[in-house]
Amino acid sequence: MEMRKTALLCALVMGTALSPAYAGSGPIKVVLPEEADLLEPCMATRSNIGRIIMENVSETLTELDVRGGTGVQPRLAEKWEQNADGSWRFHLRQGVKFSDGTGFDAKDVKHSFDRIMSDKNACESRRYFGGMTVTPTVVDDYTVDFKADPVQPILPLLLSLVTMVPEETPLEFVREPVGTGPYKLTNWTPGQQIVLTSRDDYWGAKPEVTEATYLFRADPAVRAAMVQAGEADLSPSISQVEATNPATDFSYLDSETVYLRVDHNIEPLNDVRVRRALNLAVDREAFLGTLLPDSALLATAIVPPPTLGWNPDVKVPAYDPEAAKKLIEEAKADGVKVDTPITIIARSANFPNVTEIMEAIQQQLQEVGFNIDLKFVEVAEHEQYYSKPFAEGRGPQIVAAMHDNSKGDPSFSMFFKYATEGTQSGFSDPKVDDLITRASAAVGEERAKLWSEVIAYLHDEVVADVLLFHMVGFSRVSERLDFKPTMATNSMLQLSEIKIK
């Protein structure tokens, strides 16, 4: 108490305001690697948007407790149960208001879900419901039933990705989100900053962070330096090279998988020998401890090891450039046009050292005989290559991407990445479609077994893509904050979890 009084007196004598370090609440600045090109709620599953608005501005019915490990928890739904017909009934929290002052009820829930499934937009969260038909029905003002065909045993978890908007929200994308969360958007100056301010009429506990200003810097060294100098309070993503201060720098298990999505539909990538050669030509081990942390893991699946059904028997392809060359020659002898230029499309500032890593992979592929071009694009253009509809008349393409699955179940990845109708799938295989359908509907050990079979078949038989790394993240947090990152930090940064000392 005496220390606090002394601090207050010093602040008054110096003619300055009391520091938030002593106030227990106040504003913070967050510096991110990528600017948000839009703040549409149904796009909040995309990391550069989700870190800003997910559960801050736009809330969901349920949420997965990654920090506490307690599973799916209530958010805007207070409780739920499964009906006799396999559908799910959700009971909504009452007394909740959107930031525009309107009340939240079951009609908003139905509209929010119908909106993400509408063909009048390109909502990213729609992709998690591929291969199923889900129908929401209003029971009363605060009760909603969701019926899925086929029945979805993890539907409460799936709904942790559906953000709620008012019933009046148009089906088309909006610029300024209206949500039920503890914050509202108060300033967006493109290219400079985004500001969220806490709401006085929020239904839940008032967070200690009263205002968050988001700044954007592509260079991880610049982001780390800004926090070090007090120009920012938190950077959820810095590189291992900058993570040198034990008092401010934290590593965390990342849920991101870096991979090269191969377009099987165009020669020469439609030949499995070519896809095997791509895998054999990449020296994954060489990146660990150099351009990537030595604690990063080599990937054998699009999902990280803690995920249900992850298959330990699937092995990383050995680095064998001579074997890659032989496969290329075999394909050439059969008339496959292996010399055709193949373009790798990578997203700028997608992960630390992305430029150097992609240039090294380009060189490794060229050394075994591939003709590789490398193209870096911003996030909006990257999405055009990554998601359907793919451009007609395109040449052979490989998309470098980073996929996040922190939910613990492959269903959040498999359909839209690998099923014939999947939004980001680069091929079609009936066996894959069947396995995904059966795994999605299964429960318990059978579910894990089927997902494990999917993982092995995709990797060993289809050779669907070039899987690279499961990432390890590093964050820099000002000493005035009480916050430690989790596996979810790469895709979501809940301001209410941040305490001010």
Side-chain angles (χ1 to χ4, degrees), residues 196 258 398 431:
L196 303 184
V258 176
I398 297 173
K431 183 175 178 178

Side-chain angles (χ1 to χ4, degrees), residues 159-180:
L159 290 178
S160 69
L161 298 169
V162 178
T163 49
M164 296 294 110
V165 297
E167 184 185 10
E168 297 76 22
T169 306
L171 297 177
E172 296 80 12
F173 280 178
V174 296
R175 173 177 168 76
E176 297 186 1
V178 173
T180 60

Side-chain angles (χ1 to χ4, degrees), residues 36-225:
D37 52 329
L38 72 164
L39 292 176
E40 162 58 50
C42 74
M43 298 294 284
T45 51
R46 208 169 75 189
S47 60
N48 66 322
I49 300 170
R51 277 179 169 171
I52 300 171
I53 68 170
M54 180 67 95
E55 307 298 13
N56 294 327
V57 174
S58 302
E59 292 183 296
T60 53
L61 294 181
T62 65
E63 64 176 318
L64 179 65
D65 178 21
V66 175
R67 187 173 297 279
T70 58
V72 183
Q73 294 296 308
R75 188 82 183 202
L76 291 176
E78 289 187 312
K79 61 181 181 178
W80 51 88
E81 67 270 353
Q82 194 164 18
N83 299 321
D85 64 355
S87 64
W88 291 86
R89 175 161 293 182
F90 291 81
H91 304 271
L92 307 181
R93 192 178 299 278
Q94 300 186 32
V96 175
K97 290 185 177 181
F98 287 100
S99 57
D100 64 357
T102 58
F104 166 73
D105 61 22
K107 291 181 181 178
D108 301 309
V109 175
K110 182 178 182 348
H111 177 72
S112 297
F113 189 85
D114 290 344
R115 183 172 180 266
I116 73 164
M117 303 304 292
S118 171
D119 58 7
K120 294 185 180 298
N121 58 51
C123 288
E124 177 153 315
S125 45
R126 180 190 313 155
R127 68 190 190 185
Y128 297 103
F129 295 88
M132 66 184 85
T133 300
V134 180
T135 305
T137 302
V138 173
V139 178
D140 58 40
D141 286 350
Y142 296 102
T143 310
V144 183
D145 282 353
F146 280 87
K147 185 176 180 61
D149 182 20
V151 171
Q152 294 299 311
I154 63 165
L155 189 67
L157 180 58
L158 283 166
L159 290 178
S160 69
L161 298 169
V162 178
T163 49
M164 296 294 110
V165 297
E167 184 185 10
E168 297 76 22
T169 306
L171 297 177
E172 296 80 12
F173 280 178
V174 296
R175 173 177 168 76
E176 297 186 1
V178 173
T180 60
Y183 296 87
K184 59 184 177 182
L185 176 68
T186 52
N187 178 267
W188 182 8
T189 307
Q192 297 183 32
Q193 66 178 25
I194 291 172
V195 180
L196 303 184
T197 304
S198 63
R199 292 174 51 193
D200 293 331
D201 59 346
Y202 178 57
W203 62 266
K206 189 172 181 62
E208 292 189 13
V209 175
T210 58
E211 184 177 86
T213 300
Y214 297 87
L215 308 170
F216 310 96
R217 302 291 185 273
D219 190 331
V222 171
R223 297 195 295 274

